């Protein structure tokens, strides 16, 4: 049975909320529509006033033109390679380091944790120049080493996130196995890691997104356009085809699709990191 | 071997990836950067010792003041404005209606767009003649500024773009909002507090720790603004009247366009001191306005 609510109640509990959310949602979605609509117009329609909202005929050929104008899939391949290496690196090191900070009592761990939190606040520009000089002395400019080596040392943010997570796993679990004579590494590998799978998924997603969208790193280290990532390629495309908005928007849309797919399938993992951070005091 | 020594070795071993990384890619460059800041260095000739000359030159450099002013504008005007926007979106997304999850997705969506693609899209939307925004503004009879070519409007353009990305910050506020016990609100309602009083005296204090966190993250982010300026202005030139010359852009330009590695290192060190000072001041003053439950 449904109860009938007064108009005033409905106004406060459904009409006003939906009106606000709907209007706000439209404003937030509109740039996406505009991106897609522009990418499907002819150059003449783009520069026509009064504005043409919907093109008479969708120019799907803009997408094939954009894919041919730059070696799009080559850039995607380069970027995917970097993503894969960085994911392996983070998965190897971040859980290991976080485990020692959360589950092993040792002198110095508080100092290590303090420095890790400190480096989260340090502006990367302070390290950018000396690190660049170091890598250039090692002859690593124009290689993928500067863009991947850091992952194998563990990102402070992930270590922090994982540590929070480990803290929530009851002590009794590992204590019991220790009495049974299990080594620390076996406890880590067989008991802890399986419980971490959801947060590891978060780390995989964040590493992928971080590597895919990174611009400054590749800009500093990759001169040879054959080695460019997709974001560098996009920027190069923008500089060459400054006013061909239909092609630029097509390329921008294509470069965004993997992010949207990841987001739709991994939403809860994205949100999890957000809520873990609120526990930060 | 006694147990504390054994556990030290195990702990150290587990943490060693980070420790090695910190020594090689953290501490070593950090110390070297201080040395480079006292030299004249172009990557090709060996560094030449110049003492404090770079630091003296910074304080006579017009670009330094310009980039600092632009960055402080973003840090202390744009970031608070953006935080308010995030909070408003969070309050909207905290309403108890059916299908709210879909709206949360919609508002978060812009945050997953790569910065390069997002900046390209906005440079089209903000196009003075054919851009969507000015077409709407003209239709409403409002002024239509040349967003990205008028020095007075470049930074407001960034604020506008920031609104679009407010969903990410809003979700962090939202998680905190949902942590506020309902009984506080109910008790206050019984005592006759209206919606504004409850927001002011229950919600805001409860949100203060997460606000502090977002404020600090936002400030740190403001000192790193780079990609947007680089894409929108077509390089590290700083745009019209250098209104988009931010601190990080200036460091990049000195180091990699002019190969003034020593001078740029000194700039980076000044930045480091500024960020540390601002963080300390905010933490100190935060004791007056941040409320931690259960303490």
């Amino acid at each position: 049975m449904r109860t009938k609510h007064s108009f005033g109640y409905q106004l406060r509990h459904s009409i006003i909320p939906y009106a606000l959310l709907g209007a706000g949602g439209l404003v937030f979605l509109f740039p996406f529509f505009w991106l897609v609509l522009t990418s499907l117009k002819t150059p003449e329609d783009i520069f026509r006033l009064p504005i043409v909202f919907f093109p008479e005929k969708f120019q799907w050929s803009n997408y094939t033109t954009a894919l041919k104008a730059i070696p799009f899939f080559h850039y995607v391949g380069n970027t995917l390679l970097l993503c894969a290496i960085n994911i392996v690196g983070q998965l190897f090191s971040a859980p290991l380091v976080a485990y020692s900070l959360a589950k092993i009592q040792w002198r110095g761990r508080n100092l290590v944790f303090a420095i890790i939190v400190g480096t989260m606040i340090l502006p990367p520009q302070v390290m950018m120049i000396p690190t660049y000089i170091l890598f250039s002395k090692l002859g690593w400019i124009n290689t993928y080493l500067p863009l991947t080596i850091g992952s194998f040392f563990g990102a402070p943010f992930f270590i922090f996130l994982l540590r929070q997570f480990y803290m929530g796993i009851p002590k009794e679990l590992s204590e019991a196995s220790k009495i049974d004579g299990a080594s620390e590494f076996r406890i880590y590998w067989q008991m802890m890691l399986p419980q971490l799978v959801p947060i590891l998924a978060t780390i995989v997603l964040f590493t992928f997104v971080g590597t895919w969208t990174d611009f400054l790193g590749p800009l500093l280290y990759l001169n040879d356009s054959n080695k460019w990532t997709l974001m560098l390629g996009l920027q190069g495309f923008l500089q060459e085809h400054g006013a061909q908005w239909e092609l630029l928007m097509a390329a921008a849309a294509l470069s965004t699709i993997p992010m949207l797919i990841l987001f739709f399938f991994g939403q809860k993992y994205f949100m999890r990191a957000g809520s873990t951070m609120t526990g930060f005091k | 071997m006694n147990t504390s020594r054994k556990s030290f070795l195990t702990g150290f071993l587990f943490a060693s990836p980070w420790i090695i990384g910190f020594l090689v890619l953290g501490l070593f460059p950090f110390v070297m950067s201080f040395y480079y800041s006292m030299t004249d260095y172009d990557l090709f000739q060996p560094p030449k010792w110049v003492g404090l000359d770079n630091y003296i030159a910074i304080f006579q450099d017009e670009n330094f003041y310009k980039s600092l002013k632009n960055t402080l504008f973003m840090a202390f005007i744009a970031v608070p404005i953006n935080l308010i926007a995030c909070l408003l979106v969070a309050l909207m997304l905290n309403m108890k209606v059916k299908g709210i999850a879909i709206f949360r997705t919609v508002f978060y969506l812009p945050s997953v767009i790569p910065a390069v693609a997002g900046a390209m899209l906005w440079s089209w939307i903000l196009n003075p003649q054919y851009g969507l925004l000015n077409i709407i503004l003209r239709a409403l009879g409002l002024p239509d500024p040349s967003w990205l070519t008028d020095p007075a409007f470049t930074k407001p353009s960034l604020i506008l773009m920031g609104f679009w990305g407010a969903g990410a910050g809003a979700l962090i506020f939202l998680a905190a909002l949902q942590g506020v016990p309902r009984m506080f609100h109910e008790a206050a309602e019984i005592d006759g507090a209206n919606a504004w009083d409850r927001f002011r005296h229950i919600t805001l204090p409860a949100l203060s720790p997460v606000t502090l966190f977002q404020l600090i993250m936002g400030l740190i982010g403001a000192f790193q603004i780079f990609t947007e300026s680089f894409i929108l202005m077509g390089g590290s030139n700083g745009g019209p009247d250098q209104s988009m010359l931010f601190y990080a852009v200036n460091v990049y330009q000195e180091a990699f366009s002019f190969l003034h590695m020593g001078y740029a290192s000194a700039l980076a060190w000044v930045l480091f001191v500024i960020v540390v000072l601002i963080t300390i001041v905010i933490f100190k003053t935060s004791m007056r306005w941040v409320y931690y439950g259960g303490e």
Side-chain angles (χ1 to χ4, degrees), chain A residues 18 20 28 32 38 46-47 51 100 105 107 116 122 124 127 129-130 133 153 220 245 259 263 267 271 278 280, chain B residues 7-8 14-15 17-18 21 26 29 33 36 98 105 108 112-113 123-124 130 135 164 171 213 224 256 264 272:
Chain A
Y18 281 122
L20 279 172
F28 269 67
F32 284 105
T38 307
I46 281 176
F47 296 113
I51 195 166
S100 97
Q105 291 287 344
R107 270 190 66 178
I116 288 177
L122 188 72
M127 313 301 289
I129 296 157
I133 296 171
F153 302 135
L220 284 179
W245 290 107
M259 298 295 98
F263 177 65
Q267 245 189 85
M271 312 281 176
T278 50
F280 182 54
Chain B
S7 66
F8 173 79
F14 271 73
W18 180 82
S33 148
Y36 289 130
K98 266 199 207 103
T105 305
Y108 187 80
V112 303
I113 294 231
S123 76
W124 171 230
Y130 302 100
I135 286 169
W164 197 46
L171 279 192
F213 170 74
Q224 294 169 20
F256 300 103
F272 175 62

Side-chain angles (χ1 to χ4, degrees), chain A residues 31-32 34-35 213 215 231 234-235 238 242 245 248-249 252-253 255-256, chain B residues 110-127 147-148 154 157-158 160-162 164-165 225-235 244:
Chain A
F32 284 105
W34 200 238
L35 174 73
T213 56
F215 177 64
M231 290 304 130
L234 268 187
Q235 192 257 150
L238 174 69
W245 290 107
L248 289 171
M249 291 303 110
S255 77
T256 303
Chain B
S111 312
V112 303
I113 294 231
V116 173
M120 278 165 66
L121 169 60
W122 277 94
S123 76
W124 171 230
I125 290 178
L126 296 172
N127 183 294
W147 294 95
L148 296 173
T154 48
S157 301
L158 287 187
L160 216 59
M161 290 165 63
W164 197 46
I225 299 173
F226 176 82
T227 304
E228 286 78 4
S229 170
F230 197 96
I231 298 293
L232 292 172
M233 299 300 137
M244 292 274 262

Side-chain angles (χ1 to χ4, degrees), chain A residues 111-168:
Chain A
L111 177 70
V112 166
F113 184 60
I115 299 176
I116 288 177
V117 174
T119 54
M120 285 166 72
I121 297 174
L122 188 72
Q125 278 74 31
V126 177
M127 313 301 289
M128 181 173 85
I129 296 157
T131 316
Y132 180 89
I133 296 171
L134 175 68
F135 286 143
S136 82
K137 280 191 176 148
L138 291 170
W140 287 3
I141 305 299
N142 242 337
T143 72
Y144 290 153
L145 284 166
L147 301 173
T148 49
I149 187 118
S151 317
F152 289 85
F153 302 135
F157 173 68
F158 295 150
I159 297 173
F160 179 84
L161 210 63
L162 283 160
R163 179 184 170 272
Q164 302 288 89
F165 218 72
Y166 276 124
M167 300 295 241

Side-chain angles (χ1 to χ4, degrees), chain B residues 55-66:
Chain B
Y55 289 94
I56 295 165
I58 285 177
F59 293 100
Q60 294 158 351
D61 180 352
E62 214 174 295
N63 279 359
F64 165 74
Y65 289 107
K66 210 148 211 174

Side-chain angles (χ1 to χ4, degrees), chain B residues 1-194:
Chain B
M1 192 156 42
N2 64 35
T3 45
S4 84
R5 200 186 158 88
K6 186 166 172 252
S7 66
F8 173 79
L9 278 178
T10 327
F12 190 82
L13 205 65
F14 271 73
S16 60
W18 180 82
I19 293 171
I20 295 168
F22 173 69
L23 294 178
V24 178
L25 293 183
L27 200 60
F28 175 68
F30 191 67
V31 173
M32 285 308 281
S33 148
F34 193 60
Y35 161 70
Y36 289 130
S37 77
M38 308 272 192
T39 66
D40 223 349
Y41 185 36
D42 66 358
L43 276 182
F44 303 108
Q45 310 290 320
K48 205 170 82 216
W49 182 262
V50 295
L52 289 174
D53 282 8
N54 285 330
Y55 289 94
I56 295 165
I58 285 177
F59 293 100
Q60 294 158 351
D61 180 352
E62 214 174 295
N63 279 359
F64 165 74
Y65 289 107
K66 210 148 211 174
S67 69
L68 187 63
K69 212 180 89 195
N70 289 334
T71 308
L72 291 177
F73 176 90
M74 293 310 287
F76 292 106
I77 295 178
V79 167
I81 290 177
N82 191 259
L83 276 188
I84 292 169
C86 291
L87 180 59
L88 289 177
V89 174
L91 288 171
M92 264 168 74
L93 294 178
N94 196 33
M95 293 189 292
K96 312 268 179 297
V97 293
K98 266 199 207 103
I100 192 74
I102 298 166
F103 288 104
R104 285 179 190 155
T105 305
V106 165
F107 280 85
Y108 187 80
L109 214 50
S111 312
V112 303
I113 294 231
V116 173
M120 278 165 66
L121 169 60
W122 277 94
S123 76
W124 171 230
I125 290 178
L126 296 172
N127 183 294
Q129 211 182 342
Y130 302 100
L132 179 66
L133 183 64
N134 276 0
I135 286 169
I136 294 174
L137 289 177
R138 277 195 294 266
L140 297 172
L142 293 167
D144 55 342
S146 308
W147 294 95
L148 296 173
T149 47
D150 182 341
F153 282 93
T154 48
K155 285 187 285 291
S157 301
L158 287 187
I159 295 180
L160 216 59
M161 290 165 63
F163 286 148
W164 197 46
L171 279 192
I172 296 182
F173 272 127
L174 182 65
L177 275 175
Q178 293 177 337
V180 182
R182 271 203 67 75
M183 54 182 210
F184 286 2
H185 281 279
E186 282 158 7
E189 215 164 342
I190 291 166
D191 289 346
N194 62 31

Side-chain angles (χ1 to χ4, degrees), chain A residues 173-192:
Chain A
L173 219 71
S174 49
E175 301 280 288
S177 347
K178 237 179 253 178
I179 293 166
D180 293 345
S183 74
E184 201 75 54
F185 188 77
R186 246 188 75 192
I187 297 174
Y188 163 73
W189 187 255
Q190 294 188 338
M191 304 197 56
M192 291 296 168

Side-chain angles (χ1 to χ4, degrees), chain A residues 77-115:
Chain A
N78 290 345
T79 314
L80 286 177
L81 177 67
L82 284 176
C83 289
I85 300 173
N86 282 333
I87 287 172
V88 170
Q90 295 293 358
L91 286 183
F92 162 73
S93 53
L96 207 61
V97 177
Y99 180 81
S100 97
L101 296 178
K103 291 289 171 190
I104 306 176
Q105 291 287 344
W106 57 287
R107 270 190 66 178
R109 75 167 193 176
N110 289 338
L111 177 70
V112 166
F113 184 60
I115 299 176

